[in-house]
Amino acid sequence: MTSTMICTRCVMDNSNPHISFDEAGQCNCCSDAFRRMPFEWFRGADGRQRLNSLVERLRMEGRGKQYDAMIGLSGGVDSAYLAHMLRTEFDLRLLAVHVDGGWNTEPAVRNIEILVKSLGIDLHTHVIEWSEMRDLQLSFLKASVLNQDMPQDHAFFATLYRTAHLFGLKHFLSGVNFSSESIIPPGWGYTSIDGKHVKSLHALFGHEPLTTFPIMGAFEYIWMTRIRRQLSIHRPLNFVDYDKQKAKQELISLYGYRDYGSKHSESRFTKFYQEVFLPQRYGFDKRRLHLSSQIVSGQVTRQEALAELDTPICDPRQARQDVKFVAKKLQITDAELQEIMKRPPVEHTAYPNNSKLFRSGISLKSLLRGWSRR
């Protein structure tokens, strides 16, 4: 049995076989993050200049239109703080987009409601038909693949581009940030944009027709992103000295923001996925990614991170409650869900997919341009 090895600089370990360590015991994940930092995270005067330039561009291109840009709102800290910053400091006219896949926690819903009301932001919510979401979520569980958040993530991705087209918007402001999300494990996960993969898993394991679920196929994706260039995606939090904990405290003070727990736990399914499914199925504690990112950004020490990892990701009683909740919502028994989680993992690429198509984006762009001239 391979012994556990933990990076001497961050807290990533060898539970992912693609992670390697140098002579000093430092992993390729944090080494890559430190290499990228000067090119992705701009603080001080440089960051302020970049942020001001972005805002001026949005204002200029938004003249005569209803909105300057779109922003996603999940109820989480990053997107909430971004909305707060852009409205209070720059008075940008924002359209907030939220996709309700049926897994929202009560605090997340409340956070969204109070933010849009307090900040005067219009909210566009797309509600996924629950019978279809349930069937697709079960299909992914039965397929035994790693990325169980793909149904929710793909729905948001497809809805985002279609909403942009509906409102004639060209800019999306994302809460994704280097400060708390710099660690990217190699070979981990599978892209959520692959609509063919979504359809293939549902065709094999699903039963409910996906008549309204937003699925974006490869050609629509290439058309919207490479040919039509519907959206430019910006990450304004990379232009400020963003500290997630300080941002959370500011949101609590100003809006009565309610903390929902761990990162991305605004979704009850994502909470189950990160705190129960991944540790039990793959022996992976996703807190390592988030804590290692904060170590890179200097907001948490390695000792503090190790101390947090010494505590259970969730207590056994809470894990049982999460399993019970997810099983009941999916209309299966606790035992059925536990049996599904014990099945051998299957690689995403074992099922039909368009991964090669996405990797060959340049040739596809040329192909589609030629096709569009016919």
Side-chain angles (χ1 to χ4, degrees), residues 103 137-138 140-142 144 148 268-269 272-273 276-277 280-281 319-343:
W103 294 103
Q137 206 90 64
L138 274 171
F140 269 74
L141 284 167
K142 292 175 182 177
S144 206
Q148 293 294 324
R268 286 296 299 267
F269 185 85
F272 157 78
Y273 173 55
V276 181
F277 185 92
Q280 287 189 18
R281 186 68 167 285
R320 288 194 297 271
Q321 288 179 347
D322 289 342
V323 169
K324 187 177 182 66
F325 177 87
V326 170
K328 183 177 180 180
K329 195 164 178 67
L330 292 176
Q331 299 175 24
I332 59 176
T333 66
D334 300 7
E336 286 176 301
L337 182 54
Q338 291 284 9
E339 187 275 326
I340 287 173
M341 289 196 292
K342 291 177 182 177
R343 295 176 187 176

Side-chain angles (χ1 to χ4, degrees), residues 5 8 18 21 24 27 86 121 135 139 147 151 166 181 185 188 191 233 240-241 311 315 318 344 363:
M5 183 172 183
T8 57
H18 297 282
F21 302 87
C27 74
L86 295 174
I121 296 175
D135 198 56
S139 298
N147 187 358
L166 178 66
E181 300 171 292
W188 181 261
T191 178
I233 299 176
V240 297
D241 193 7
T311 64
D315 63 69
Q318 181 63 54
S363 59

Side-chain angles (χ1 to χ4, degrees), residues 231-295:
L231 272 182
S232 294
I233 299 176
H234 312 278
R235 298 178 177 180
L237 294 181
N238 284 346
F239 299 148
V240 297
D241 193 7
Y242 180 63
D243 185 311
K244 194 183 190 79
Q245 292 304 315
K246 290 180 181 178
K248 184 190 297 183
Q249 290 306 312
E250 188 171 350
L251 292 171
I252 291 171
S253 174
L254 292 172
Y255 306 104
Y257 180 90
R258 288 178 59 184
D259 191 6
Y260 48 80
S262 55
K263 187 175 178 66
H264 298 312
S265 289
E266 61 267 22
S267 160
R268 286 296 299 267
F269 185 85
T270 301
K271 182 178 187 298
F272 157 78
Y273 173 55
Q274 294 187 166
E275 298 181 1
V276 181
F277 185 92
L278 284 178
Q280 287 189 18
R281 186 68 167 285
Y282 294 93
F284 183 70
D285 187 338
K286 206 171 181 185
R287 290 180 299 176
R288 291 189 181 275
L289 274 72
H290 308 145
L291 290 167
S292 293
S293 295
Q294 290 178 294
I295 290 171

